[in-house]
Amino acid sequence: MRILADVDKSVYSEGMNKSPGVNINDLSARERILRTAHDLFYAEGLRATGIDRVIAEAGVTKVTFYRHFPSKNDLILAYLNLRHEQWMKWFTEALERHGGASKGAQALPPVMEEWFSGKGLGGFRGCAFLNGVSEMGPAIPAVVEATRRHKQQMTDAIEVLLPKSRLRRRTAEALATAVDGAIVQAQYSDDPALALRALQFIADQLNDKA
């Protein structure tokens, strides 16, 4: 059993890193709007972030904004698409860094620790998709559908970790549910290490039965 390190809880009061590795001023107007919206939507929420705030921080005019995104809903869906691409790239690479299929489910706790501690994807504020569903799901059904697709691909990545068996998919689905639970608990808990210990316990039980 791996002993998980304490998580630096200071990251829970910080927003996302501002497009790390990218000079936003070098981007096209559309990309500036999208990356600005990404940082604001994730850090402050979909409802709390107004279009005027995005326009001001992106340094574009309203005419330019609406040329690229006719409505806030269009911007929200583009943000979720970008977030999906960034998160899945980080997640699959992090799984490999922490052992991949050679570690199986044991790779999941250190990967989540990486995210919760702010070492992956900047400051942690929960799952952008679960947050989006809680805020906008009934109003924008496409947000719910984007979340389903995102979670499906997360489950696919987890399944790759597991040895082939007739229960492989069901086990991956159960682990994906455990990961989502850990994300939610880490978001609201004063001590995200509790969520990591629970996820580690589940991984240990699977390992003992393998």
Side-chain angles (χ1 to χ4, degrees), residues 6-159:
D6 291 335
V7 174
D8 178 2
K9 288 181 277 187
S10 68
V11 300
Y12 290 79
S13 60
E14 297 174 359
M16 288 289 293
N17 289 345
K18 296 295 183 180
S19 301
V22 175
N23 185 344
I24 199 167
N25 294 321
D26 293 337
L27 301 175
S28 67
R30 185 184 189 282
E31 284 300 306
R32 288 205 311 276
I33 294 166
L34 183 53
R35 288 178 181 271
T36 298
H38 175 282
D39 295 339
L40 291 173
F41 283 158
Y42 184 72
E44 301 182 18
L46 301 178
R47 291 189 182 276
T49 303
I51 292 300
D52 288 344
R53 173 89 180 278
V54 175
I55 289 170
E57 295 210 10
V60 298
T61 67
K62 283 191 175 182
V63 171
T64 298
F65 175 88
Y66 285 109
R67 182 184 304 127
H68 294 290
F69 300 99
S71 71
K72 184 176 180 180
N73 286 5
D74 292 314
L75 182 60
I76 288 171
L77 295 177
Y79 151 67
L80 290 175
N81 285 334
L82 175 61
R83 181 66 181 181
H84 170 72
E85 291 172 3
Q86 291 182 342
W87 195 91
M88 285 304 304
K89 182 177 186 297
W90 165 78
F91 186 59
T92 55
E93 291 177 355
L95 289 173
E96 287 303 310
R97 281 197 300 277
H98 292 284
S102 68
K103 290 290 187 179
Q106 292 288 336
L108 289 169
V111 167
M112 290 296 103
E113 180 186 17
E114 185 176 308
W115 186 23
F116 297 168
S117 64
K119 291 177 285 189
L121 297 170
F124 173 78
R125 192 185 164 274
C127 171
F129 294 86
L130 297 180
N131 292 345
V133 167
S134 67
E135 286 192 78
M136 307 296 290
I140 313 178
V143 169
V144 178
E145 183 56 36
T147 301
R148 289 195 187 103
R149 290 195 301 268
H150 174 72
K151 296 303 181 182
Q152 178 79 35
Q153 291 191 34
M154 183 184 82
T155 304
D156 292 345
I158 292 172
E159 184 176 5

Side-chain angles (χ1 to χ4, degrees), residues 157-197:
I158 292 172
E159 184 176 5
V160 172
L161 299 174
L162 306 176
K164 292 182 179 180
S165 74
R166 63 184 182 84
L167 295 178
R168 188 187 194 193
R169 186 63 185 182
R170 288 181 63 184
T171 303
E173 290 169 347
L175 283 168
T177 300
V179 166
D180 278 338
I183 292 168
V184 172
Q185 184 174 16
Q187 187 175 3
Y188 73 74
S189 175
D190 288 336
D191 185 4
L194 296 173
L196 292 168
R197 285 198 291 271

